[in-house]
Every structure is written in C-alpha cells, then in structure tokens.
Amino acid sequence: HTHVPSFPSVPSAYSRTPCHLAMSNALERQCTLLVHYENAQPDHAILREELESSDVIRKMHALKQVILFILNGEPMPGFLMLVIRYVLPHDDTHLRKMALYFLEVVDKHGPDGKMLPEMILVCNMVRNELIHPNEYTRGCALRFCCKILDPEILEPLVPVIRTNLEHRHSFVRRNAVLAVHFIFQKFEFLFPDAPEVIELFLENESDVAARRNAFAMLSKCDPERAVAYLLDNLAAVAQWSDTMQLAALELIRAVCRANPAEKGRYIKVIFGLLGSPSASVVYEAANTLISLSAAPTAVRATAQCYCTLLASQSDQNVKLILLDRLVSLKKLHAPVMQEMLMDIMRVLSSPSMEIKRKTLTLVVDLITPRNVSEVVSAMKKETSRSKADADKSQDAENEYRKLLISIMHNIALKYPDVADAAVNIVSGFLGDAFGPVASDVLVCVREIAQVFPALRANILQKLLDVLPEIRNHGILQGVLWLLGEYSETPEQIKESIDCIMGCLGKLPFSVTEEEASTEKPAEDAEKPKKSATRKGPTVLSDGTYATQIAEDDFKPVALTAASDKIGPPLRALILTGDFFISISVCTALTKLALKVSLIPGAPPVLVNTLRAQAMLVCASIVRFGRSGSTPSKIGEGSTARIVACIRVLNGEYDAEEWLRYSKKAVKAMVDLRVEKEKAAQKKKALSNALALDDTIDFKILRSKRSHMASADGEPGDIELALGSKALSSNKNVKLTRVVQLTGMSDVVYAEARVTVQDYDIMLDVTVINRGNDKLENLTLELATIGDLRLCERPQSYTFMPDEQKVIGANIKVSSTETGIIFGNIVYDVAGSAVQNSGCVILNDIHIDILDYIVPGEVTDLAFRQMWSEFEWENKVAINTTIADLSTYLDALLSWTNMKCITMRGVEKQTGFLAANLYAKSVFAEDALINISGEKLSDGRLSGYIRIRSKTQGIALSLGDKITLKQSEKVKD
C-alpha cells in the first residue's frame, strides 16, 4: 500500500539561463497572481500564431497559456510586444481584461533593471482604458492600477485616476478610491493630497461601497481625518450601512489601542451597535467592547451577544467560532459567564457533534453549586431527547450519549447533592437498545456506588428492575458484578438472590427442554452460528495483511424467537454456551452467600440454604458444560473459576479475603482516577507559572508601547503565528535540531536548523562560501518525499569568498508520516573564462513522527472500540538488552512520546507486562499501542508490540521508530 515517488533528477547549472533567473527574481519581488500549472515546455511558435490570429477564442487560449507559463517561471521573451500589438487594441472586453492579467505578471524591466521601452505603449493603452466609455472597462483598469509597483507606470495615470472619482457610475468611483488608496500607500509622492481629496469625496458620496472604501482609506492613511469624520457623525453611526459600521469599529479599536483614554467616548456607540440587524456588525461590536472594557456590564453584554448569535446563526463554522470566543471569555471572566450557562446550553440542539462536544466542555467548566441543579435538569431533557432517537442507532448519536453520561458522571462525583438525580438519568440507558452506551453507564454507576454508599440502595433497585430484561451478555456481566458487590443488607441480598435465581429458571440445566419447547428442525439450529461472524484485519507472519473471519459457536442468541421459549435471557445465554456469563452468575451468588454468613446473628439454616443453593448452581453449570449436548464445551479456565467458588462456599478458603479482594481492586481504580485528576489540575495550575526573573505582565499597568498582546488580553498576531511552542523554545532545543547538509571539505558548506510547528516545517539553512572564488546564481533546490510540500520558489544569491547567509524555506505537512527532505546546491563560479558551475548534493533531512504526536488520555472502553475499528496494524517483536519490564515500558514511552493508560506496577510482581499506550497527532489522528511481554527464565524479555491506527503512515512510522531504538539499545 505504500507508494514511493521517484526522485527527480538533480537540476543542472547549465540549464539555468540569465533570463530564467531574472524571471524568477521578478516573480519573487511581486506576486499578485499565483496559479500552479504542470505542462510540457511551451511551443513559442504555436502561441505566437494563435495570438496573431483573428479568432478571439484562440487568442484567449494562447494568452492564458502564456500567463500560466510565466507564473511558473518559464521565460517568454518577445510576447510582451505581441500582446501590445494584437490583444490590447482588441474590441473584446474580456480579452483586454485577460491582457491586464498578463501585464500584472510579466517582467517590466530589462536585464539592466531599467524599465522596458514597451511600457510607454502600455501606459498609453491603460490610460485609454481608464477613459473608456464602458464603466466595466474602467473598473478593471482601476483594479489593475492597484497591482502595479512601478511608480514610472503609475505617474502618468494619476490625473486620469483622479477624474474617475467623479464618474457618474458608482462601480467606477469605488474602484477609483481603491486605486487612490494603493497609490498613496505605496508612493505618497505621486498623490500627496489624496487624504484631502478622499475626505471631500466621502462627504459628498452616496454609494455605500464607495463610502466604505473611502473611510477605510482615511483610517489607514490619515487616522486623524478619519477620527474627525467619525466624531462629527457619531450620532449617525447607527444608521450607517453594515460595511461602514465594520470600518468604524476597526478604527475605534485602533484609536483606543493607541490612546486608551479615548475609550469612554465610543462606548455608547458600541453598545448601540450591539443591537444592529447585521450579525457581522454585532459580532465585531462585541469583540470591540470586550477589548475596550473588562467591566461586568461589558462582559455580560458581550456574552449575551455571542449567545444570541449562537441561537440565530445556522452556519456550523460560525457556531464554532462563537464557542471559541466564549471559551476565551471564560478564561478571564468565569463568574460572569456562569450567569449565561443556560443560554449556552441551548446550542445543544445543533445536529453537529463537534458543536455539542465543545459546548459541553464549556458547560462543565462553568458549573458551580449554585447552577448545578439547573444543569442537571437540562441534561435530563437532553438524555430524554437522545433516548427518543434510540431506533436510529447511529454512531454520532451513540457518541453523544456517551458524552452525556461522562458529563453526568463527573457532575455526580463533584457535587454529591445531585448524585442521586444523576443516577436516575444515566440508568435510563441500561438496556439492549443502548448497547454501546450501557458499558459507560455501568462504569459510572459502579464508581458512584463506590464513592457514595448512601446511593447504593437506589442503584441496586434500578439494577434489579432491568436485570430480567437484559439480553446483552456484556451488560449482564456488569449488572451481576454490581449486585454481588454492593448488596449489603439482608433485604438487598435476599432480593438480589431471588432475582438472579428467577432469571436462571429451573435447575439443573438441560437442552432437552429447549428441543421440546422449540421443536425446530436441525437446520434452524445452525442459524445462530451463521449470524455470529466477526471480520477484522490480521497480520500474517510475513508482515502482510489479511482478513480474519471468526465464527463464535456460543454467540448470544437470546434475541431470536427460538431462544425466547427457553426462558429468561440469562438462562438462554447459559444454555447456548456463554460460560463467561456463567462465571459471573457463580461469582455473584458466591459473594451474596458469603455476605449472609458474615452477618452477625444470621440463622445457620438460612446460611447453609443459601450456600447450598449457590453450590447447586455452580455444579449444574459445570455439569452442563461438560455434557455432550452443549453447543460448546466449557473451558478449563472457566471450570477452575467455578470450582474455586464451590470451594470457598465449602469453607476451604477465607471468605473475608475473597470479598476483600474485589473491594480493594475497585478502590484502587477510584484512587487512580482521583490521582489523575489531581495531577491534571496541578499541571493546569502550573501552566501559567513563571520562572525566576520572568516578566509579569499586568494589563492595567501595560504601557501604550507594548504590542506583544492585543487590547483584550489575547495573544498578539506574532504570538498566534508562531505558536506557543515557538515562543517557549530555547536555544538548547534549537541546537539539537541542527542537521549538517554538506561535508566540511565542500566548496559550499551548509547546515539546517529544523523547526517543526504543527503543520509547518521551517528550515533555516546556513550557507557559507568556503572557497576563494565569487559564486553567482547560488540556488538551494529542495524536494520532498511523503506528505510534505514546498511552499516557496528557490531564489538565487551571490556569495563573496567566506560570506555567510541564512536561507529560509517553508514546508507544509498534511499527515502524520515520516518524511524526507533532500536536494542540492548549484552555483556558477564568477570570473572564469569558461562557464564553470558546480553542484553539491545535500544530506537527507528526516522528519521525525514524534514532532506530530502528543500523549493523550482516553478511557479503556474508547481504546477497545478504536482498537476494533482501526484497520492498519504493525507488529514489532521485543528485541532489547533491557532486563526489566518496567524499565522497558518507560523506554518505550520515551521512544514513542505516548502515554500509558493502564495501571502499572503488576509487571514487577508477576513477570508479565500487558499495557495500552495512546497518543494523538496534531491532525486529530489516534495512535494505539498494545504491548504484551514477559521475562524469560534466562533474564531476557520476550513478546510483541502491536501498533494500530486509522492510517498507514502512523503505524509504519512508529514501528520503524521502535525498531530503530531497540537496535540502538542492543548496540549500546
């Protein structure tokens, strides 16, 4: 399944002409249009012929081809004059517009850097376009003027552009304002009175778009005039168009950032814009308000606007943006946000799972003892709505139910007052219709019963109500364990035993009654087996993939009509050969009988009766499993477990120790979860900690000259662009990622510093001319293997002897896969009589997968679900000199940058290791590892590491990484 692209040939210095280099440099200096185009070399003769033809379609096609070739670095000499002669004078409007695109990208300077003489004709023709009677033609010419970076071309056009400000058509006027804005911003000396002209234009203009362009031009080029105009019309801002209001808000933010004392003058206007009918204006007004004021009134108004937009906007992306804004508000103004909690929860009606997940995450952080009862009521409505859609059985709906249960689980543990209500809500999902969710409910109920003993009676009653109706063997196992573990009082124990015995039916077990009651032919008996098939990927011994089909002879068939006549679902499962359920029944009855014997003053007759009853069930199951009439024989492990139950009932083992072992295990799991939560809270608290001598930034004391953060306290543009990783990186980290690209004896020495930032790889290549000759046209040419893409065209440089320069390169990453960057450096030696060129092949740069994955946290149930769904698997044998299992697991965690999600410490006592590792990539890809190992008698470690992922790249890359690290350890 792996496709390895072929290596492109190394470019030769002899194929790089000065004209080609001049074209590349010109495109690097100015790029207003970029279209990728892969095609053969241009046929100049055919293109010339088509441009000279009288057919408009052929002209248009040829002109498009010329533009594409120029954009992709192909030299097209002589075509400028052809376009001037045969295209620009043409009557077709669209053809002339395409000619303006050609003039944007064509190089307008000669080899000496001076303007080409043909540009005089171009200026004249553009001037004719600017005075053309057609308003569309004028508008296109004005847009073209906004993309010219040569003042020599613009200078003769300025008077004509000025006259277009008074054109009768609004389309021309609004584009004329854009042209004036561009000229004044780039070449102020060409139009020095532009602000005065635009100010007068703004006072007399009636077109909405033209007024907006004029106001934006004043805001950027002459803020004082823009502020004066805004203050003069402050009372009329509410009647402006939405585009003008957005421009006014942008100006207000800039003015208040430069002079915070001016905030009070604009607050009333901003509050007025919060009621605008335009959603974009309301959003920007709310952003501006929270950036100017942190008062509770301003925060409350901003949050209310965000919530209103959440309810009114149907676009899912808009909702996600608004939720992000609410999350940022919550970080600084949590008390105010807690008042808006119920308004935020209205977003749960959205069909998007991503929006629901982000909303519930925000809700959890805002829950307090004052509003927790309202949240529980709202969650009850959500669960009722979710249960109403139980017949859909969609993956997204099941995922939402799991999320609701997880939220209720956390609420119940954190707020004991609503724990009883939470149990009543989640217990509604205990049923066959909610099979994928019921396991989460059992985990939630188990932990609540362990932490809050007062709620056990309510929990047990609900379990007893649903036990006779449950047909799913996994749910049955959990319910039986809970009944056996938490039935404490004599009444609870009696009810649990009666319910279990009622579900078991008549003893002993026999299939004769099944045959008598169903009276089905032999061929019907095969139907359950045919439906009990499982398909999944497997790895063969040679490393290839195959599909594995498993037939389960004892797959639960309680859902069929025939098995319904056998009796209750629990009895049907046992008679069809599900001995895992049989073990759960025997263990639960044994615990209940032992608990009765430990009650002070319990009648001996009752104790002996219950023990004998439990022993009868155990013996009946073993006898039935060993008989020849069962669909499948009982295993040795199942038999040993049931026999152990009989022995403890017979008094051969300590009853208190038997009961204490499971309690101890559950307590250890709860304590582990609590420790994880405390560690996460501690880590979150330390995330904002400052090191010794670090600067502490107080917003109220911030200087006007401080531009590292915006006015609302959020990271500035530079911080957002670089990311937190880049800001926190230090010199030592950067030095560890330096890769030597050439040898020390090469004429050109190069080394690269690799910086990986999520989706980008930045290369800072240091190039040194170690020779005694001047090197011209030195170009760093790179190529990639894998899901890497170069974003920049290579430039040419001139190096004097011993000169050093740093050349930057940016590479985009699209997936979590090990990639390779390779290339060469080509150059020309100056001063030689014969053209002397050189080429230095660079060492490969391997991009490590560990730069893209981070340790993550996931539940055991979610891990098992992903393990069964993911298709790609890589199996690696344990081959190391490490002699300790715990040490090897620590080494594996450091090699893979993953987190162990299973309990540790057992490997030291047993000599066996079974652990699950999890990590998540920056591309939202999951990486799973299961390690199964043991310590042999000779002290070596043996076993396998299985890696699974949804994509092939992660599985293969992690496997190669582990194999490489193990081989290095073996060598050491």
Side-chain angles (χ1 to χ4, degrees):
H1 299 278
T2 303
H3 172 67
V4 179
S6 58
F7 284 79
S9 58
V10 178
S12 172
Y14 295 100
S15 62
R16 298 161 59 249
T17 61
C19 182
H20 198 160
L21 291 174
M23 179 66 65
S24 299
N25 292 335
L27 290 176
E28 290 296 333
R29 289 195 304 269
Q30 174 184 357
C31 182
T32 57
L33 183 65
L34 184 61
V35 182
H36 183 62
Y37 183 63
E38 293 182 358
N39 207 338
Q41 293 295 324
D43 190 333
H44 290 203
I46 295 178
L47 293 176
R48 289 174 185 272
E49 180 183 352
E50 291 183 348
L51 286 175
E52 294 174 359
S53 67
S54 58
D55 189 355
V56 176
I57 298 178
R58 293 184 63 190
K59 281 179 178 287
M60 182 72 74
H61 177 266
L63 189 57
K64 289 181 180 179
Q65 294 294 315
V66 172
I67 294 173
L68 291 174
F69 282 126
I70 293 177
L71 284 175
N72 289 272
E74 293 293 338
M76 305 292 290
F79 280 85
L80 176 59
M81 200 60 202
L82 287 175
V83 172
I84 294 174
R85 291 180 58 190
Y86 299 103
V87 178
L88 282 176
H90 204 279
D91 294 335
D92 188 83
T93 305
H94 297 287
L95 186 61
R96 294 202 309 273
K97 181 180 179 181
M98 190 61 60
L100 294 179
Y101 286 128
F102 170 81
L103 295 177
E104 284 184 29
V105 301
V106 72
D107 192 7
K108 307 172 184 61
H109 301 80
D112 55 355
K114 296 182 179 180
M115 185 71 64
L116 293 173
E118 293 91 338
M119 298 311 297
I120 299 176
L121 300 175
V122 171
C123 290
N124 186 49
M125 292 185 175
V126 172
R127 186 180 181 280
N128 293 336
E129 294 286 290
L130 290 173
I131 59 175
H132 198 279
N134 185 288
E135 61 273 7
Y136 174 78
T137 301
R138 288 200 183 198
C140 293
L142 289 167
R143 283 296 184 93
F144 168 73
C145 293
C146 298
K147 301 174 183 179
I148 300 176
L149 293 178
D150 298 295
E152 296 90 344
I153 301 177
L154 289 173
E155 185 175 6
L157 303 178
V158 170
V160 185
I161 296 174
R162 183 191 291 263
T163 58
N164 278 288
L165 290 172
E166 301 174 359
H167 194 270
R168 58 180 178 80
H169 203 284
S170 60
F171 178 76
V172 177
R173 296 197 302 272
R174 70 182 67 157
N175 284 285
V177 174
L178 293 178
V180 172
H181 184 185
F182 175 81
I183 295 173
F184 183 80
Q185 194 172 21
K186 295 295 183 181
F187 313 104
E188 183 178 349
F189 62 92
L190 294 180
F191 208 145
D193 59 337
E196 293 86 346
V197 174
I198 295 300
E199 183 181 16
L200 182 61
F201 172 86
L202 181 60
E203 294 176 355
N204 302 322
E205 180 60 39
S206 59
D207 182 67
V208 173
R211 284 171 55 83
R212 184 264 168 197
N213 292 344
F215 186 76
M217 186 266 181
L218 288 180
S219 300
K220 295 292 184 181
C221 300
D222 196 343
E224 294 182 359
R225 292 180 183 273
V227 170
Y229 179 81
L230 179 61
L231 293 176
D232 292 340
N233 299 271
L234 209 57
V237 172
Q239 286 74 41
W240 285 1
S241 64
D242 53 350
T243 55
M244 279 287 288
Q245 289 175 346
L246 291 174
L249 289 171
E250 184 178 356
L251 177 63
I252 291 173
R253 283 198 298 269
V255 170
C256 294
R257 188 179 296 116
N259 188 8
E262 299 289 332
K263 293 180 181 179
R265 183 179 294 181
Y266 303 102
I267 290 293
K268 185 177 179 180
V269 177
I270 298 174
F271 269 102
L273 293 178
L274 292 178
S276 172
S278 173
S280 58
V281 173
V282 174
Y283 176 74
E284 290 298 332
N287 294 342
T288 305
L289 180 61
I290 195 63
S291 67
L292 299 184
S293 174
T297 305
V299 176
R300 192 175 292 107
T302 301
Q304 186 64 51
C305 288
Y306 290 155
C307 293
T308 304
L309 292 174
L310 275 173
S312 61
Q313 298 300 307
S314 59
D315 193 314
Q316 308 298 335
N317 295 321
V318 173
K319 290 180 180 290
L320 290 173
I321 294 173
L322 291 169
L323 286 172
D324 288 336
R325 281 289 179 177
L326 289 172
V327 171
S328 63
L329 271 183
K330 182 260 303 179
K331 295 178 181 178
L332 299 176
H333 311 284
V336 178
M337 289 294 298
Q338 291 165 1
E339 303 174 6
M340 317 296 300
L341 183 57
M342 300 312 297
D343 294 332
I344 297 174
M345 293 194 69
R346 296 177 184 173
V347 193
L348 294 176
S349 59
S350 172
S352 172
M353 186 60 205
E354 182 65 25
I355 292 176
K356 292 180 179 180
R357 184 185 298 108
K358 184 169 289 190
T359 302
L360 288 175
T361 303
L362 176 61
V363 166
V364 170
D365 295 336
L366 295 176
I367 295 177
T368 63
R370 302 172 64 181
N371 58 23
V372 64
S373 58
E374 297 179 357
V375 174
V376 171
S377 300
M379 298 292 285
K380 184 177 180 180
K381 295 180 181 178
E382 285 299 315
T383 53
S384 301
R385 183 189 306 171
S386 178
K387 284 190 290 185
D389 298 333
D391 54 338
K392 295 183 179 179
S393 65
Q394 299 177 353
D395 293 339
E397 193 65 31
N398 288 332
E399 185 180 357
Y400 182 49
R401 293 168 186 160
K402 288 184 177 183
L403 187 58
L404 290 174
I405 294 171
S406 175
I407 299 296
M408 295 304 301
H409 184 186
N410 295 331
I411 291 175
L413 295 176
K414 191 173 181 180
Y415 303 98
D417 295 339
V418 297
D420 193 13
V423 171
N424 295 331
I425 293 174
V426 300
S427 59
F429 289 105
L430 275 176
D432 294 324
F434 309 102
V437 186
S439 300
D440 292 356
V441 176
L442 290 173
V443 173
C444 173
V445 170
R446 180 185 65 191
E447 191 163 353
I448 293 176
Q450 177 68 23
V451 177
F452 305 111
L455 301 179
R456 292 176 183 175
N458 183 25
I459 293 174
L460 291 174
Q461 187 59 47
K462 293 186 177 299
L463 295 177
L464 291 173
D465 293 341
V466 299
L467 179 61
E469 302 174 359
I470 298 177
R471 300 166 181 259
N472 186 295
H473 67 290
I475 304 175
L476 273 173
Q477 283 180 302
V479 172
L480 289 170
W481 185 91
L482 289 169
L483 291 176
E485 186 66 30
Y486 295 112
S487 297
E488 301 290 347
T489 64
E491 294 79 9
Q492 294 173 354
I493 295 174
K494 182 179 182 304
E495 292 179 358
S496 299
I497 293 178
D498 292 343
C499 185
I500 295 174
M501 296 303 296
C503 293
L504 290 176
K506 183 181 177 181
L507 297 178
F509 298 105
S510 173
V511 295
T512 56
E513 59 177 289
E514 176 193 0
E515 296 171 357
S517 61
T518 57
E519 295 181 357
K520 294 291 181 180
E523 59 269 19
D524 291 347
E526 298 295 329
K527 292 182 180 179
K529 296 183 180 180
K530 293 180 181 179
S531 62
T533 59
R534 297 196 310 269
K535 295 183 179 181
T538 185
V539 182
L540 302 180
S541 57
D542 58 351
T544 59
Y545 287 88
T547 301
Q548 174 179 280
I549 303 177
E551 296 278 353
D552 289 346
D553 293 339
F554 59 93
K555 185 74 175 180
V557 293
L559 301 178
T560 63
S563 59
D564 287 343
K565 298 181 180 181
I566 302 175
L570 181 58
R571 179 181 180 86
L573 289 172
I574 296 176
L575 292 179
T576 52
D578 192 344
F579 293 107
F580 291 107
I581 285 293
S582 303
I583 295 174
S584 300
V585 171
C586 295
T587 304
L589 290 175
T590 301
K591 288 182 179 180
L592 294 172
L594 293 177
K595 287 182 178 181
V596 173
S597 64
L598 296 177
I599 295 176
V605 177
L606 177 62
V607 173
N608 294 333
T609 301
L610 293 179
R611 286 195 175 194
Q613 194 176 24
M615 293 173 70
L616 176 61
V617 173
C618 295
S620 299
I621 291 175
V622 173
R623 181 177 176 275
F624 175 73
R626 290 181 174 179
S627 64
S629 58
T630 57
S632 60
K633 294 288 184 179
I634 188 172
E636 294 296 331
S638 302
T639 304
R641 177 64 176 173
I642 297 175
V643 169
C645 294
I646 297 176
R647 287 184 173 182
V648 73
L649 289 170
N650 197 33
E652 299 180 22
Y653 298 144
D654 185 9
E656 293 185 2
E657 183 63 28
W658 179 278
L659 297 173
R660 190 184 306 116
Y661 181 79
S662 59
K663 291 182 181 293
K664 183 179 178 181
V666 175
K667 186 177 183 302
M669 292 182 62
V670 174
D671 293 342
L672 180 62
R673 185 194 64 80
V674 173
E675 290 178 2
K676 287 184 177 179
E677 288 185 355
K678 290 182 178 179
Q681 293 176 359
K682 184 178 180 181
K683 183 178 180 181
K684 183 179 180 180
L686 294 176
S687 60
N688 296 326
L690 296 176
L692 187 64
D693 294 334
D694 280 359
T695 303
I696 301 177
D697 184 21
F698 293 95
K699 181 179 179 181
I700 195 171
L701 303 177
R702 187 178 299 156
S703 170
K704 300 179 183 179
R705 295 172 295 178
S706 176
H707 299 289
M708 286 302 296
S710 61
D712 54 356
E714 297 180 357
D717 295 338
I718 298 177
E719 296 182 24
L720 292 175
L722 296 177
S724 58
K725 294 181 181 178
L727 293 177
S728 61
S729 59
N730 52 47
K731 296 181 179 179
N732 295 330
V733 175
K734 293 180 179 179
L735 290 177
T736 58
R737 303 304 306 275
V738 173
V739 180
Q740 183 177 344
L741 300 179
T742 62
M744 300 298 294
S745 59
D746 290 326
V747 176
V748 178
Y749 174 78
E751 63 182 20
R753 179 166 62 84
V754 185
T755 304
V756 179
Q757 179 63 35
D758 292 342
Y759 305 99
D760 298 286
I761 300 176
M762 281 74 74
L763 298 181
D764 294 325
V765 183
T766 302
V767 181
I768 304 175
N769 180 10
R770 300 175 59 88
N772 298 323
D773 298 322
K774 177 182 177 183
L775 302 182
E776 295 179 342
N777 300 330
L778 187 144
T779 306
L780 173 66
E781 298 176 336
L782 299 175
T784 60
I785 294 178
D787 291 332
L788 306 176
R789 180 173 58 86
L790 289 168
C791 301
E792 299 173 350
R793 186 187 304 275
Q795 298 186 30
S796 299
Y797 300 90
T798 300
F799 280 74
M800 302 301 293
D802 298 327
E803 186 179 359
Q804 171 181 328
K805 291 182 180 179
V806 177
I807 302 175
N810 187 17
I811 298 172
K812 286 289 183 182
V813 186
S814 57
S815 71
T816 310
E817 185 177 351
T818 301
I820 300 177
I821 304 172
F822 62 97
N824 53 72
I825 294 177
V826 293
Y827 57 87
D828 298 331
V829 179
S832 57
V834 183
Q835 185 177 9
N836 187 8
S837 301
C839 177
V840 179
I841 307 298
L842 305 179
N843 295 329
D844 296 343
I845 302 175
H846 294 264
I847 304 302
D848 197 349
I849 186 178
L850 298 185
D851 293 325
Y852 306 115
I853 63 176
V854 293
E857 186 72 34
V858 70
T859 62
D860 293 336
L861 293 174
F863 185 92
R864 286 196 293 268
Q865 182 178 359
M866 288 188 292
W867 186 269
S868 61
E869 294 176 354
F870 288 173
E871 301 176 355
W872 293 100
E873 178 176 305
N874 192 3
K875 191 173 183 181
V876 180
I878 297 178
N879 180 23
T880 179
T881 55
I882 302 176
D884 183 68
L885 288 171
S886 181
T887 305
Y888 180 76
L889 180 56
D890 292 334
L892 184 64
L893 293 174
S894 63
W895 296 341
T896 58
N897 197 24
M898 303 184 76
K899 183 177 183 179
C900 181
I901 61 174
T902 54
M903 296 180 62
R904 298 187 56 179
V906 184
E907 63 272 6
K908 297 181 180 179
Q909 305 172 1
T910 62
F912 293 92
L913 174 62
N916 295 330
L917 280 62
Y918 176 77
K920 199 174 188 68
S921 72
V922 297
F923 305 98
E925 299 169 328
D926 301 293
L928 312 177
I929 286 184
N930 172 262
I931 174 173
S932 300
E934 63 174 330
K935 189 171 184 179
L936 303 178
S937 57
D938 57 358
R940 296 185 298 106
L941 302 185
S942 176
Y944 290 94
I945 301 170
R946 299 170 64 192
I947 309 167
R948 282 197 180 184
S949 64
K950 200 170 185 179
T951 57
Q952 182 186 21
I954 299 180
L956 296 179
S957 300
L958 281 177
D960 296 340
K961 185 74 175 181
I962 294 173
T963 303
L964 177 63
K965 290 295 184 179
Q966 287 191 141
S967 62
E968 292 177 355
K969 202 68 180 178
V970 170
K971 292 178 182 178
D972 294 342

